[in-house]
Amino acid sequence: MDQLDQLLTAQDLALHLEVPVATVYAWRHRRQGPPGFKIGRHLRYRARDVEQWILDLVEENVVPLNGA
């Protein structure tokens, strides 16, 4: 399995991002975090979706050099 095809639990995601598990669940509740999905009762995140979410956050927070 490709590294980016890996499925992460909420706990895995919290460890990866170095945030509390409660933050991961709060993001999901507020629809602010990376996209996740349920398999039965189990919440999972695709590693590729998490990485894209991080890239999108970085893009949103880049300050243009011309100050515009």
Side-chain angles (χ1 to χ4, degrees):
M1 179 182 286
D2 185 338
Q3 188 74 13
L4 290 178
D5 290 333
Q6 181 181 5
L7 295 180
L8 306 172
T9 65
Q11 292 79 8
D12 294 336
L13 180 60
L15 283 172
H16 180 67
L17 298 176
E18 299 180 6
V19 299
V21 175
T23 299
V24 172
Y25 286 112
W27 286 340
R28 181 162 171 81
H29 179 74
R30 293 188 307 249
R31 299 175 191 252
Q32 293 178 322
F37 59 95
K38 292 275 198 129
I39 299 176
R41 291 189 282 161
H42 306 282
L43 179 58
R44 295 293 182 262
Y45 296 88
R46 286 192 321 179
R48 82 173 63 241
D49 293 339
V50 172
E51 294 306 315
Q52 185 60 54
W53 176 74
I54 291 170
L55 290 172
D56 292 345
L57 285 177
V58 170
E59 266 186 38
E60 288 174 13
N61 289 300
V62 171
V63 177
L65 291 178
N66 64 7

